[in-house]
Amino acid sequence: MSLLDVDGISIHFGGVQALGGVSLEVHRGEIVGLIGPNGAGKTTFFNCVTGVLKPDSGSIRFDGHDLLPLPTHARAHLGISRTFQNLQLFGGMTVLENLMVAMDAFSHRGMLADAFRLPTARFEERRAQEHAWAILHFLGLKDRAGALAADLAVGHQRRLELGRALMSRPRLLLLDEPAAGLDNKETADLAGLLLRIRERFAVTMLLVDHDMALVMRVCDNIYVLDFGELLTSGTPSSVRQDPEVIRAYLGEGVA
Amino acid sequence: MNPATVRRRGLAFVAVLALGYPLILSDYIRGLAADGLIAGIVVLSLVLITGFVGQISFCQYSFAALGAFTVGSLVGGHHWSFWLALPVGVLFAGVTGALVAIPALRLSGLFLTILTVAVALFFDRYVLAPGTWNSFSNGNANWDVGRPAFLGLHLTGSYAFYLFALGCFTLCALLVWNFRQGKTGRVLRAIRDAEVAAATLGINLTAWKLAAFGVSAALAGFAGAIGAASIGSVSRGSYDLVHSLGIAAIATVMGVGSVAAGAAGGLFYVFGPEILRHTPLSTQWFNLITGGLLIVQLIVTPDGLVPDFQQKLGHLLHHRQAGVGTAPDTVGAGPTAEAAAASEPKAATEAIPAVRRP
C-alpha cells in the first residue's frame, strides 16, 4: 500500500495552470524524486501536500487519511514534515531552540504548564533538549548549538532545517531542493546523509532537486514534471533514457 | 564568575534595592514607584505580544481600562470584594483580547497595528465617552474602589501598597520569563520568525495567536485593576490611545524582548514626567523626549536600551572569559541555550532514540 497517494490534483493561479492533473504515489521506505525545470510546479505540489495551498480538484491521501480537509498543522501531526527551498529557519532563535520547537509542536501542554513550570513542563523540556542534542550529534552540528540560526553558514542551515524536520519523527519527509546553494562536495555528503536518514529514522522521502547526480543516486523512483503536467515516471535509469525527458529537461549533453 | 552567578547576584542586588530603597523615600515617591511598577505590567503585556509574536499593539490601555472598569463597577457599584472582582476583570480583558485577535488572524504587520489603533479609538470615542460612562456608573464621575486588604493587612500605607505592587509586578515578570524560557516562548517566536514553517511543524497558528493576544490583554487588564486600587477610584481618564501609544514607544525604547525592560519602562513612564516637573521644561516635553529617544534607540541599539545595557554589563563583569557574549535577557539568545550548551546531556552521545512507528 502506498503511503502518499496523490490523484489528479490541479491548481490554477488566475488564468495560469500551475498543476494539471498530477498523480503520484510514494510507497513506504522509498525515496521518490520529483524533477522538472523551474516553474514546472514542484514547490506548488509540495504546498498542496502540506496544506499551504488548496488544489482546485483531485485528491491527496496519506496513510488512508484524506488530507484535503485538514489544515497544515494537522497534516504535520499525521507525520508529514518538510524543508523549504528558501530556508525557513527561525532566525532569531538558537540552533537548539529551532530543534526543540519542532518537538514542542507535538506536546500537548499549554501556556499554564509553562507559566508555573509544572512538572510536565520540566519533564518535556528535558526530553526535547535530549532529543535535540541527539539530532545535533547525528548532523554534526553540536558545536553550533548556542548560535543563532541566522548566523550559520548556508550548508549548516540546510542541515539544521533537515534536523528540524526530523525532530517530530515524521513518516514522510518532503525535501524541497535540499542541495540548493551547496557545492559539489557538500551535495555528495548530502546524498550520503539522506540514505543514512532513511536507515536511521525509517522515514519515506519525496525529494525535489535540480541536482541530477543527487536525484539519480538516492531515488528509487522519479517523477518528471513539465509545465504542471506529469511527463513521465520510472526508475532513475529509465527516466535518464527517456527521450522526452532529455528533450524537455535534461538537455542535449546529459544523455 | 559564570553568567548564572552574575545573574543571581544581580537579581539579589535588585531585590535588596527594590525592597529597601523605598523605605527612605517619601509617601509621594513610593506611590509613584507603585504606579511605575503597575505601568511595568503593561510593558510586560507588550513584551509578550511584540517581543514574542512580533505584533505591535496600540490598544493595551484599552484592555487595562476593561480591568479597571470591571473592578470599579463591581467593587464601587456592587460592593463586591476586590479579590473577587480582580479575576473577573482579568478574565474579561483576556477574553476581549482574544476576540479582538480573531480579525487579527488574517492580518499582520502594519494592518494589524492599524486594527489595534481602531480598537483604541473605539474605546476613546464610545466606551470612555461621557454618555456611555454615565449610563454605566449611574452618573457618578468615578467609582470608589478604595484600597483592598491583603492577608489581613490593609494596603492603605504607601509602603504596604508599594510592596503589593512590587509583588504583582514580580509575579507577572516571572510568568513572562517562564513563558520565554519554555515551549510558549519558542512557539510564539517561531511564529514570529517563519509562520509557514511553524505551521508545517504542527503548530496551530490560530490557537497560539489567540492565546498570546488573550494572555497579553489579561496582563494589561490586571495592571488596570491594580491601578484602580492604587488610585482608590476609577474614572474614565488615562486609558486613551495616547497612553497606549506612549507605553508602546517606551516599551520599544527599553527593549521589547526583555523582561527587565518591563520595570525600566514602567518606572520611566511614571518618573519621566515627574522629573520634568522639577526642571524648567514642562511635562509636555515628555512625549517629545520619548519620541527622540525612540529614534536614537532604533538607530543605535535596535534591541532596546535594557538588553544593550545588560550585554555591556555582562561583558564588563566577565570580560576575561572568551565566547560568552550573548545578552542574558534578550529574546533571541536565551540562557536556556547557554545553560544547555554548557551542560549537554549524556544521551546525546548515545544512539538516536528508537523510531516510534514501523
Side-chain angles (χ1 to χ4, degrees):
Chain A
M1 199 187 101
S2 53
L3 184 64
L4 180 71
D5 191 352
V6 179
D7 192 18
I9 57 167
S10 302
I11 187 167
H12 294 76
F13 299 123
V16 183
Q17 177 184 273
L19 289 174
V22 176
S23 299
L24 177 151
E25 250 187 302
V26 181
H27 296 275
R28 268 173 231 282
E30 278 184 341
I31 300 182
V32 171
L34 184 62
I35 63 173
N38 278 327
K42 304 181 300 284
T43 298
T44 304
F45 183 87
F46 269 22
N47 285 337
C48 287
V49 175
T50 50
V52 177
L53 294 171
K54 203 172 176 66
D56 304 328
S57 60
S59 83
I60 305 175
R61 298 188 73 76
F62 177 76
D63 196 30
H65 299 272
D66 182 9
L67 285 190
L68 289 184
L70 298 179
T72 301
H73 65 90
R75 299 184 195 200
H77 284 269
L78 284 178
I80 297 176
S81 195
R82 77 172 283 186
T83 67
F84 293 84
Q85 180 182 353
N86 317 310
L87 288 156
Q88 298 280 329
L89 286 169
F90 307 127
M93 295 161 64
T94 66
V95 168
L96 195 71
E97 286 176 317
N98 263 270
L99 294 177
M100 287 172 72
V101 77
M103 197 127 164
D104 291 329
F106 275 62
S107 107
H108 292 293
R109 77 178 198 264
M111 291 174 88
L112 211 61
D114 267 346
F116 300 103
R117 294 231 175 150
L118 299 182
T120 41
R122 271 178 283 170
F123 170 75
E124 288 185 356
E125 195 79 0
R126 188 169 182 80
R127 202 180 52 166
Q129 257 182 31
E130 284 177 4
H131 195 51
W133 277 109
I135 294 273
L136 286 178
H137 181 71
F138 178 76
L139 295 173
L141 283 174
K142 277 206 299 191
D143 51 337
R144 306 294 286 149
L148 289 187
D151 294 342
L152 295 185
V154 175
H156 283 173
Q157 287 185 336
R158 291 248 170 241
R159 267 173 190 243
L160 177 58
E161 229 197 19
L162 198 55
R164 189 180 68 183
L166 288 171
M167 275 296 283
S168 58
R169 311 241 186 90
R171 284 188 282 176
L172 177 68
L173 184 56
L174 306 173
L175 301 165
D176 198 351
E177 303 207 16
L182 302 187
D183 62 27
N184 285 345
K185 188 193 167 291
E186 285 173 322
T187 306
D189 289 347
L190 178 69
L193 182 63
L194 292 182
L195 293 170
R196 270 191 294 140
I197 285 173
R198 170 164 67 174
E199 198 147 311
R200 202 74 169 264
F201 295 83
V203 62
T204 306
M205 290 181 225
L206 182 58
L207 167 69
V208 160
D209 212 287
H210 278 298
D211 192 292
M212 276 306 118
L214 174 71
V215 175
M216 294 293 168
R217 185 176 155 202
V218 302
C219 291
D220 306 301
N221 246 319
I222 293 176
Y223 286 78
V224 186
L225 271 183
D226 194 19
F227 292 111
E229 289 183 6
L230 210 55
L231 209 56
T232 184
S233 65
T235 60
S237 54
S238 75
V239 165
R240 198 201 300 263
Q241 278 148 22
D242 190 300
E244 256 196 286
V245 175
I246 295 167
R247 205 172 36 246
Y249 180 42
L250 298 178
E252 302 302 319
V254 181
Chain B
M1 280 195 290
N2 67 44
T5 318
V6 171
R7 195 174 307 120
R8 215 171 297 133
R9 288 185 189 178
L11 278 176
F13 175 72
V14 169
V16 168
L17 192 71
L19 290 172
Y21 187 50
L23 283 171
I24 57 166
L25 295 172
S26 69
D27 281 352
Y28 179 63
I29 301 288
R30 285 178 194 162
L32 286 179
D35 286 345
L37 289 169
I38 293 166
I41 298 176
V42 181
V43 177
L44 287 176
S45 78
L46 280 163
V47 168
L48 193 67
I49 205 68
T50 310
F52 295 179
V53 192
Q55 305 287 7
I56 294 169
S57 165
F58 288 148
C59 61
Q60 292 308 100
Y61 268 104
S62 307
F63 297 133
L66 285 178
F69 285 13
T70 311
V71 165
S73 156
L74 291 178
V75 176
H78 295 89
H79 308 293
W80 282 37
S81 146
F82 175 80
W83 301 106
L84 275 178
L86 177 65
V88 176
V90 170
L91 196 69
F92 186 39
V95 171
T96 310
L99 287 178
V100 165
I102 290 174
L105 290 172
R106 299 189 173 274
L107 304 171
S108 61
L110 187 60
F111 299 103
L112 179 54
T113 308
I114 290 171
L115 175 86
T116 64
V117 171
V119 170
L121 284 176
F122 171 79
F123 270 78
D124 283 9
R125 296 289 150 81
Y126 181 71
V127 182
L128 303 178
T132 323
W133 171 266
N134 288 337
S135 69
F136 271 111
S137 67
N138 291 328
N140 294 327
N142 49 274
W143 281 304
D144 249 343
V145 176
R147 289 272 175 92
F150 183 65
L151 297 177
L153 287 167
H154 217 264
L155 299 176
T156 38
S158 63
Y159 187 65
F161 191 81
Y162 166 80
L163 285 186
F164 173 63
L166 183 65
C168 290
F169 175 82
T170 309
L171 182 77
C172 294
L174 265 176
L175 279 189
V176 174
W177 174 262
N178 283 348
F179 284 148
R180 192 169 86 71
Q181 299 298 91
K183 169 192 177 179
T184 308
R186 283 191 299 269
V187 165
L188 294 180
R189 285 180 285 144
I191 293 173
R192 173 197 69 191
D193 283 357
E195 208 173 283
V196 174
T200 58
L201 287 180
I203 291 168
N204 186 340
L205 300 180
T206 311
W208 279 99
K209 279 186 185 175
L210 288 184
F213 271 87
V215 172
S216 168
L219 277 176
F222 181 66
I226 304 293
S230 168
I231 304 165
S233 70
V234 180
S235 63
R236 59 186 189 83
S238 67
Y239 301 107
D240 58 3
L241 174 64
V242 177
H243 283 81
S244 292
L245 283 172
I247 204 81
I250 286 168
T252 312
V253 169
M254 291 301 165
V256 87
S258 158
V259 173
L267 292 173
F268 180 75
Y269 186 62
V270 169
F271 280 102
E274 181 61 24
I275 291 167
L276 284 180
R277 210 191 306 273
H278 297 289
T279 66
L281 298 170
S282 74
T283 52
Q284 286 172 341
W285 283 75
F286 182 64
N287 284 343
L288 197 67
I289 290 171
T290 309
L293 270 177
L294 184 63
I295 294 170
V296 173
Q297 168 263 326
L298 286 177
I299 297 168
V300 178
T301 115
D303 285 339
L305 298 182
V306 174
D308 189 60
F309 172 74
Q310 287 174 319
Q311 194 169 7
K312 293 217 166 88
L313 193 70
H315 276 302
L316 203 69
L317 289 177
H318 47 88
H319 63 283
R320 279 182 204 150
Q321 286 177 307
V324 191
T326 39
D329 190 31
T330 47
V331 163
T336 330
E338 273 173 41
S343 62
E344 173 192 347
K346 290 276 190 292
T349 46
E350 292 159 13
I352 305 282
V355 174
R356 184 182 54 195
R357 302 186 187 91

